[in-house]
PDB file of all heavy atoms in Angstrom:
ATOM      1  N   MET A1332      71.115  76.295-140.179  1.00  0.00           N
ATOM      2  CA  MET A1332      70.492  75.609-139.077  1.00  0.00           C
ATOM      3  C   MET A1332      71.586  75.080-138.156  1.00  0.00           C
ATOM      4  O   MET A1332      72.514  74.419-138.575  1.00  0.00           O
ATOM      5  CB  MET A1332      69.665  74.463-139.623  1.00  0.00           C
ATOM      6  CG  MET A1332      68.949  73.700-138.561  1.00  0.00           C
ATOM      7  SD  MET A1332      67.789  72.592-139.345  1.00  0.00           S
ATOM      8  CE  MET A1332      68.124  71.142-138.424  1.00  0.00           C
ATOM      9  N   ALA A1334      72.698  72.956-134.636  1.00  0.00           N
ATOM     10  CA  ALA A1334      72.237  71.876-133.779  1.00  0.00           C
ATOM     11  C   ALA A1334      72.133  72.372-132.342  1.00  0.00           C
ATOM     12  O   ALA A1334      72.954  73.144-131.879  1.00  0.00           O
ATOM     13  CB  ALA A1334      73.213  70.712-133.857  1.00  0.00           C
ATOM     14  N   SER A1378     105.225  77.828 -82.650  1.00  0.00           N
ATOM     15  CA  SER A1378     106.095  77.275 -83.678  1.00  0.00           C
ATOM     16  C   SER A1378     106.117  78.196 -84.887  1.00  0.00           C
ATOM     17  O   SER A1378     105.287  79.089 -85.019  1.00  0.00           O
ATOM     18  CB  SER A1378     105.590  75.893 -84.093  1.00  0.00           C
ATOM     19  OG  SER A1378     106.369  75.365 -85.132  1.00  0.00           O
ATOM     20  N   GLN A1380     106.804  76.488 -87.941  1.00  0.00           N
ATOM     21  CA  GLN A1380     106.778  75.467 -88.985  1.00  0.00           C
ATOM     22  C   GLN A1380     105.486  74.670 -88.900  1.00  0.00           C
ATOM     23  O   GLN A1380     104.921  74.483 -87.822  1.00  0.00           O
ATOM     24  CB  GLN A1380     107.965  74.517 -88.845  1.00  0.00           C
ATOM     25  CG  GLN A1380     109.291  75.180 -89.147  1.00  0.00           C
ATOM     26  CD  GLN A1380     110.399  74.152 -89.277  1.00  0.00           C
ATOM     27  OE1 GLN A1380     110.211  72.990 -88.940  1.00  0.00           O
ATOM     28  NE2 GLN A1380     111.541  74.589 -89.763  1.00  0.00           N
ATOM     29  N   VAL A1388     106.364  79.303 -96.470  1.00  0.00           N
ATOM     30  CA  VAL A1388     106.068  78.473 -97.647  1.00  0.00           C
ATOM     31  C   VAL A1388     104.601  78.050 -97.646  1.00  0.00           C
ATOM     32  O   VAL A1388     103.931  78.104 -98.681  1.00  0.00           O
ATOM     33  CB  VAL A1388     107.001  77.247 -97.691  1.00  0.00           C
ATOM     34  CG1 VAL A1388     106.597  76.281 -98.785  1.00  0.00           C
ATOM     35  CG2 VAL A1388     108.443  77.685 -97.859  1.00  0.00           C
ATOM     36  N   ALA A1408      85.061  83.807-117.054  1.00  0.00           N
ATOM     37  CA  ALA A1408      84.123  84.927-117.182  1.00  0.00           C
ATOM     38  C   ALA A1408      84.368  85.704-118.469  1.00  0.00           C
ATOM     39  O   ALA A1408      83.419  86.092-119.159  1.00  0.00           O
ATOM     40  CB  ALA A1408      84.245  85.847-115.970  1.00  0.00           C
ATOM     41  N   ARG A1432      75.031  87.131-120.235  1.00  0.00           N
ATOM     42  CA  ARG A1432      76.031  88.190-120.449  1.00  0.00           C
ATOM     43  C   ARG A1432      76.219  89.019-119.184  1.00  0.00           C
ATOM     44  O   ARG A1432      77.323  89.385-118.825  1.00  0.00           O
ATOM     45  CB  ARG A1432      75.611  89.072-121.620  1.00  0.00           C
ATOM     46  CG  ARG A1432      76.666  90.082-121.996  1.00  0.00           C
ATOM     47  CD  ARG A1432      76.441  90.561-123.416  1.00  0.00           C
ATOM     48  NE  ARG A1432      77.294  91.663-123.773  1.00  0.00           N
ATOM     49  CZ  ARG A1432      78.562  91.555-124.137  1.00  0.00           C
ATOM     50  NH1 ARG A1432      79.126  90.364-124.186  1.00  0.00           N
ATOM     51  NH2 ARG A1432      79.276  92.615-124.455  1.00  0.00           N
TER      52      ARG A1432
END
Side-chain angles (χ1 to χ4, degrees):
M1332 181 170 135
S1378 177
Q1380 292 192 349
V1388 172
R1432 187 159 172 80

